Amino acid sequence: MITSCAFGLIDEMDAGVAVVDGGLRPAVVNQALQGILDSQDGLHLHGDRLVAHAPMDHARLESAIRKALADDVRAPGQYALTLRRRALLPPWVAVVRRLPSRPGDKALAALIVEDTARRPAHLEAFLAEVFELTPREAALAAHLAYGRDLDAAAAAMGIGLGTVRNHLKAIFAKTVTRRQGELVSLLLRVARLSR
């Protein structure tokens, strides 16, 4: 089903990933999803089936899996939902998509679960490498990716707002962006690749 090389790549992902059948039985679970399941915070295993803690979330998860498996394998859709957590944290964001298969093979879907509260480790170093940012520019970029405004970033970095604005101009030039919203969007997409 999944080669060891492909599984190794899936297992290294920061997002939780499972390959599931129509009964929500996982055939493959990566380390990140195993951690989510072990925490029993919003999603867990009951016997051999994945179960969302909130009944309404579970119904939505089952529906998403059902829809994904009913899709034409040549043009699969993508179904997104949130899974509430017990802790006072943002919900897990889950995406379900049918996996390609050969005629006669069992239909399977990928379940990808993202922790929106997670902050990528080593984001500053990663952004510095990708965009050739200075350490201060990378620090500012990371603050913006974490949702801080320029005032909060300046305070956290212990520098003035004017200096932050100068760093921001340099970041715009190096990332070929013009507006802060455009920059943050780019940073968030790139941050998904960091580890």
Side-chain angles (χ1 to χ4, degrees):
M1 175 191 347
I2 295 179
T3 67
S4 61
C5 182
F7 181 73
L9 180 62
I10 291 168
D11 206 36
E12 286 186 20
M13 294 177 67
D14 288 328
V17 178
V19 175
V20 299
D21 66 13
L24 292 175
R25 287 179 290 275
V28 172
V29 174
N30 75 348
Q31 287 182 42
L33 188 61
Q34 189 61 57
I36 292 169
L37 297 174
D38 290 347
S39 74
Q40 298 205 0
D41 187 14
L43 190 65
H44 68 278
L45 275 175
H46 182 74
D48 64 346
R49 291 182 40 142
L50 290 174
V51 177
H53 287 302
M56 199 162 76
D57 290 350
H58 187 73
R60 291 177 60 222
L61 179 60
E62 284 183 315
S63 174
I65 297 286
R66 200 170 33 256
K67 287 177 186 175
L69 294 178
D71 281 349
D72 183 335
V73 73
R74 293 168 296 184
Q78 180 168 286
Y79 305 93
L81 63 143
T82 58
L83 301 170
R84 279 169 267 221
R85 299 172 74 174
R86 290 183 182 174
L88 296 175
L89 293 170
W92 303 110
V93 174
V95 174
V96 178
R97 185 179 175 109
R98 182 182 175 131
L99 293 172
S101 61
R102 296 185 188 113
D105 284 354
K106 184 178 186 177
L108 297 170
L111 169 65
I112 302 167
V113 180
E114 180 67 39
D115 182 358
T116 57
R118 181 186 66 80
R119 295 191 173 181
H122 315 295
L123 181 58
E124 287 180 35
F126 184 74
L127 293 174
E129 181 179 356
V130 170
F131 296 113
E132 298 180 6
L133 302 176
T134 67
R136 285 298 197 159
E137 292 165 354
L140 174 58
H143 283 291
L144 295 174
Y146 294 148
R148 294 190 180 105
D149 63 17
L150 293 181
D151 289 324
M157 295 171 67
I159 58 178
L161 189 56
T163 304
V164 164
R165 288 186 198 280
N166 287 334
H167 288 316
L168 183 61
K169 287 178 189 174
I171 295 168
F172 283 154
K174 291 177 180 181
T175 59
V176 193
T177 56
R178 293 187 197 135
R179 295 181 328 274
Q180 200 168 319
E182 181 184 9
L183 172 63
V184 170
S185 176
L186 173 65
L187 295 174
L188 292 174
R189 288 191 310 273
V190 171
R192 302 237 337 107
L193 300 173
S194 75
R195 224 179 118 65

